[in-house]
Amino acid sequence: MLKNKYVLDPWSIIEDKFDSTTVVDSESVFSLGNGKIGQRGNFEEDFSGNQSIGNYISGIYYKDKTKVGWWKKGYPDYFAKMVNCPNWNTIRIEINNKILDLNKCEVFSYRRELNMMEGWCERKVKFETPEKEKIKIVSKKFICLERENIGVIKYSITSLNKKIKIKILPSIDINIKNNDANWNQPFIETIGIETNDNYSKVNSKVINSDFQIATFFKTKYFINSNEVRTTYNKSNVKNLIGSSSEFDLNTNDELSLLKIGGYVNSNDTNFDEFENLIQKELKNSIDLGFENLLNENSKAWNKIWKDSDIVIDGDIMSQQGIRFNIFQLNQTFNGNDPKLNIGPKGFTGEKYGGVTYWDTEAYCIPFYLGTKKSIVAKNLLNQRYNQLPNAILNAEKIGLNHGAALYPMVTANGEECHNEWEITFEEIHRNAAIVQAIKKYLNFTDDFEFVNKKAIKILIAISRFWSQRVNYSNDLNKYVILGVTGPNEYENNVDNNWYTNYSAKWCLEYTIETLDKILKSEINTYNKVVIGTSLEKNEIKKWKKIIDNIYLPYSK
Amino acid sequence: MLKNKYVLDPWSIIEDKFDSTTVVDSESVFSLGNGKIGQRGNFEEDFSGNQSIGNYISGIYYKDKTKVGWWKKGYPDYFAKMVNCPNWNTIRIEINNKILDLNKCEVFSYRRELNMMEGWCERKVKFETPEKEKIKIVSKKFICLERENIGVIKYSITSLNKKIKIKILPSIDINIKNNDANWNQPFIETIGIETNDNYSKVNSKVINSDFQIATFFKTKYFINSNEVRTTYNKSNVKNLIGSSSEFDLNTNDELSLLKIGGYVNSNDTNFDEFENLIQKELKNSIDLGFENLLNENSKAWNKIWKDSDIVIDGDIMSQQGIRFNIFQLNQTFNGNDPKLNIGPKGFTGEKYGGVTYWDTEAYCIPFYLGTKKSIVAKNLLNQRYNQLPNAILNAEKIGLNHGAALYPMVTANGEECHNEWEITFEEIHRNAAIVQAIKKYLNFTDDFEFVNKKAIKILIAISRFWSQRVNYSNDLNKYVILGVTGPNEYENNVDNNWYTNYSAKWCLEYTIETLDKILKSEINTYNKVVIGTSLEKNEIKKWKKIIDNIYLPYSK
């Protein structure tokens, strides 16, 4: 994709042509985020072409009623989906009373750069309107790494060939819906609106849940870099919350808008405290100004790269690709908040609902172990520990018992969300990914306390799952695992998938090894584990029998 | 079910207690139909308890957009569902200005009989209203076997303890929706309404289709069996199309309403001709009167029983059960219209959409072969012949070619409707049911012309399916069929299901046997078949190889 559409560059993704038909694709590529809030690379001004506005807050989700043609036993009630929030990025521009819409203009120069080294995105466009005004727009923005609730936009507009009258309406667009809604219903409702000159705020509530969010912004105007005063007229556009201002611009005068905005949410803050927190965030940032905030953010990204860059000499495409991956992992999740997890698509869109998959343990924890403090991986594993009761309920749905656990395929809070029998209840190797992540974490940290108190309980519950899920085949004189979907996630009802069978064996081995280690070092801890989990000698005996006798098919 | 809820009787289903919580169940059991139109056993008057109004026309369906959680390759666009039509049975009763609702009355005597010998249903209820009027209602109805578009109701009401004022509104209720709608949307829209004293008509159109229907009725009133004139006031209830009349009734006077109504539809009749046909139907029936129509219908049922009754002495429950089955088969389908097929639930409700399953060939054709003229089975097989091109398209969806055919799991017009991979594309033994039905038909009729011209093409297409669907296993040195759902319809992705493998072998054998028979008797016909189907010698060779070498697993 990058090969054809974007310019090769070791540190940036660069789009140097305007193509109104691929705006939606580029919106995903030019996404920005700080691990807590994030957004697609939408244009700030109106655009009548195909686009997909998206702003998301990690951990804020809607329980979307499950959609399924043929209901099967054990299907969950809902699929948790990250909420598409009111859009604080919106800036409606009117030039001589006509709404600016790039889709209706002739663009003669276009360049968008996602600078991954410094974490900002800049778009420079020159175009001619249907009324023959030649205009230049420059929009530069970033989401603050060190101010987790806000992002910053500097939006500049210059007329290149004549005097123009500009009306500008920086606003929050509340006419936003999730594209991935099962039933085309809204996920949030507006419960309060406030506009006060250059400040606006929208309070929203996630429907059928306790989640509340506030979307907010504040602005300043500059002409040719000098701050200017203006008058504010409350928006009369129903879905755009904000105030408009009007300016007469001479040829080559540059009007700039500084817009700082973002979200606070009830995962962190009581609803009553929203307003205080917002004012604090704005006070601490607006006076610093754009350049200082940009520098602060560049430094934060610099620090990330120091710990996580991978240099590939001699292959610029691979260099650009690996840095894009590292950049996205850091935009998606930063490990600061022990409540959050890693959405499969980050903030680039709604596919997969933005909630937790086994990718967290299989692919992501190794990266964060290598590039962040170990507390980050520990927090992620702690979430699985806290969700163990739900994983046990999940295994009970397929008839297992005595504390056997099947971790969910997809989850926001520990409850299974995926409703497809051959994945939900057959793609069971995901259980082994949790064990692998525990082993990696332990190898990295020697955090025996975590293992002794928490991880061992996960290991035992998962071993119980495997030991109950196998069958004994008299024909083969072996333990077999029937009816699974292997890691290709495609072939269903497979008997004795090698990877799955081997994973089962490996999990049992690692659990026994870990129990032995605990026994040898701390007999009291071992006894506590045995009592706390009602672990029986016969269980371990059966695990060993399975280890020695599991069927691992091979082609002659 | 019959055991506990209904009185044992060799010829009738009798309900002798009123239970407002099981009305929906009894509505299914007391359904009436004539193979073309049919209805659930709904009360005519208002009922505020749990009920499910249902009136259906065979062959009139809505293409309901497929609902599925996870889309898979080959899923169809829609599921065809029989349309729940406007309800011509409705009779709103007001006693002293209060709407009669059995759910709000004290019922002290109740008897409902479905008389299968004569094909009618009668309900006798005595009850006290909240206003202490003691009332008797008798409703007797049937759907005419020999007048395929109409049904007849005689609805009588008597006050047992005081003078009452009665307002009666025989009407068509247009506020009807399918319960099985995937998206809770209406399936039909009203396009015309007409009310003229004792005659009313509603024209409707099935949404996104060419199907049109008209619902209609005409009435007469009697007091103590003497016809009375009345004045008609056009209904002011939005969803009830008709005219109301008012009567003052003395104690023990019986007011009776004769209501003849039903449906005409665009499968049979051009929309322009609807009104003519309705007037003809009404003219031919209304003057005959209730008793004559009832007698005519009893005789028609008598004829059916003469050809199809099964007598079971000494076991009244089995006797009642087998007659209920025979009654339902005859209510559901009569074979008069070569365009119609056999809905799996008849007119008892909406489950399974009222469209065609492999049950037609596997279970129903043998019954109709034994009890009707052979043209009935031939018409049903002709439908499959006409739908062969769609069955070939269906097989192409799973990569087969050269005219291999997979008949749909569920269909209205030959297009597959079922959207569940493990059924749609795995429950493939249904193909063999078609072949079995052809064989049974031929054994019964010696209709070689049908076989030579049509059935042989089906046989070849199905044999091509099996011969391409098998794989050769080098381990077993046998042909195997992998990944099927057997006739238990429950276990999916089964390898070498005995029934499926045997069916494949059997179909291939029967096709070769039939080809041999044609070859021996009419060499020209044989050559025509070979050319018409591009049948190659190698194909038959491969079929024989499969017959000799298919794996038929058995337990030692």
Side-chain angles (χ1 to χ4, degrees), chain B residues 112-371:
Chain B
R112 173 148 64 168
E113 176 179 356
L114 176 69
N115 186 303
M116 300 186 285
M117 185 193 273
E118 301 182 349
W120 48 258
C121 181
E122 184 183 58
R123 178 171 56 113
K124 290 181 180 174
V125 202
K126 289 181 188 168
F127 55 91
E128 189 175 78
T129 68
E131 287 73 29
K132 303 299 176 197
E133 299 106 352
K134 291 195 174 171
I135 306 286
K136 180 170 104 173
I137 281 178
V138 180
S139 151
K140 190 166 181 174
K141 58 184 174 181
F142 51 93
I143 303 291
C144 299
L145 285 182
E146 306 208 327
R147 303 164 186 270
E148 58 180 13
N149 298 312
I150 62 169
V152 180
I153 305 172
K154 186 178 165 196
Y155 190 92
S156 304
I157 184 159
T158 310
S159 172
L160 303 174
N161 65 340
K162 49 173 99 165
K163 272 188 154 185
I164 54 171
K165 202 179 81 177
I166 283 200
K167 185 176 164 188
I168 183 163
L169 170 57
S171 44
I172 297 165
D173 186 353
I174 58 171
N175 185 24
I176 302 290
K177 261 184 147 182
N178 274 63
N179 290 316
D180 63 348
N182 273 342
W183 307 91
N184 204 27
Q185 80 286 41
F187 286 6
I188 54 174
E189 56 189 347
T190 302
I191 55 173
I193 285 174
E194 190 184 330
T195 290
N196 198 348
D197 285 353
N198 66 340
Y199 170 66
S200 287
K201 182 181 70 164
V202 172
N203 286 320
S204 314
K205 193 188 163 311
V206 179
I207 291 170
N208 295 328
S209 103
D210 293 330
F211 292 128
Q212 295 194 319
I213 61 174
T215 313
F216 60 90
F217 74 86
K218 197 165 191 172
T219 57
K220 270 188 182 179
Y221 287 101
F222 305 83
I223 291 183
N224 299 327
S225 302
N226 300 312
E227 188 173 350
V228 289
R229 291 182 163 263
T230 181
T231 54
Y232 297 94
N233 300 302
K234 204 175 259 195
S235 161
N236 55 14
V237 185
K238 213 179 154 194
N239 61 303
L240 299 182
I241 311 305
S243 299
S244 64
S245 298
E246 295 193 12
F247 302 90
D248 290 306
L249 274 197
N250 289 320
T251 311
N252 292 323
D253 273 354
E254 183 193 61
L255 171 69
S256 295
L257 165 72
L258 172 65
K259 188 178 188 188
I260 298 182
Y263 304 94
V264 295
N265 76 76
S266 62
N267 256 352
D268 302 320
T269 311
N270 281 335
F271 185 65
D272 299 343
E273 297 293 320
F274 276 11
E275 184 62 23
N276 284 344
L277 178 59
I278 292 167
Q279 292 310 329
K280 200 179 119 202
E281 291 282 18
L282 289 172
K283 190 172 180 311
N284 289 344
S285 59
I286 196 99
D287 292 332
L288 264 183
F290 185 80
E291 292 301 329
N292 289 328
L293 290 165
L294 181 64
N295 283 337
E296 173 191 281
N297 208 48
S298 297
K299 278 183 198 154
W301 273 106
N302 201 30
K303 208 166 154 292
I304 286 176
W305 288 114
K306 238 184 75 190
D307 292 335
S308 64
D309 191 22
I310 293 172
V311 178
I312 299 177
D313 275 337
D315 182 346
I316 192 168
M317 196 189 300
S318 298
Q319 180 67 80
Q320 188 180 37
I322 192 79
R323 287 204 173 116
F324 186 73
N325 290 337
I326 296 168
F327 184 69
Q328 289 299 346
L329 279 162
N330 279 285
Q331 289 209 117
T332 300
F333 180 75
N334 58 35
N336 295 338
D337 184 342
K339 295 189 299 298
L340 301 186
N341 208 295
I342 305 157
K345 291 279 206 177
F347 301 108
T348 67
E350 291 163 21
K351 188 81 184 169
Y352 302 116
V355 291
T356 309
Y357 286 66
W358 56 280
D359 309 54
T360 288
E361 284 77 15
Y363 314 127
C364 301
I365 279 186
F367 173 82
Y368 293 108
L369 265 176
T371 62

Side-chain angles (χ1 to χ4, degrees), chain A residues 432-444:
Chain A
I434 315 271
V435 178
Q436 283 169 2
I438 288 171
K439 182 172 182 186
K440 283 183 185 126
Y441 172 72
L442 193 59
N443 285 355
F444 238 83

Side-chain angles (χ1 to χ4, degrees), chain A residues 70 72 419 422 492-493, chain B residues 70 72 419-420 422 492-493:
Chain A
W70 303 92
K72 289 178 188 169
N419 57 318
E422 53 270 41
N492 311 132
N493 271 45
Chain B
W70 302 93
K72 289 175 190 172
N419 57 318
E420 193 185 15
E422 52 270 42
N492 311 131
N493 271 44

Side-chain angles (χ1 to χ4, degrees), chain B residues 395-442:
Chain B
E396 286 173 2
K397 286 186 193 161
I398 49 171
L400 310 190
N401 52 37
H402 191 47
L406 173 60
Y407 275 93
M409 192 64 205
V410 182
T411 189
N413 59 15
E415 289 172 352
E416 176 66 87
C417 286
H418 196 91
N419 57 318
E420 193 185 15
W421 182 271
E422 52 270 42
I423 301 297
T424 306
F425 293 115
E426 291 195 356
E427 198 181 324
I428 54 178
H429 63 78
R430 64 184 186 260
N431 248 358
I434 315 270
V435 178
Q436 282 170 2
I438 288 171
K439 182 173 183 186
K440 283 184 185 124
Y441 171 73
L442 192 59

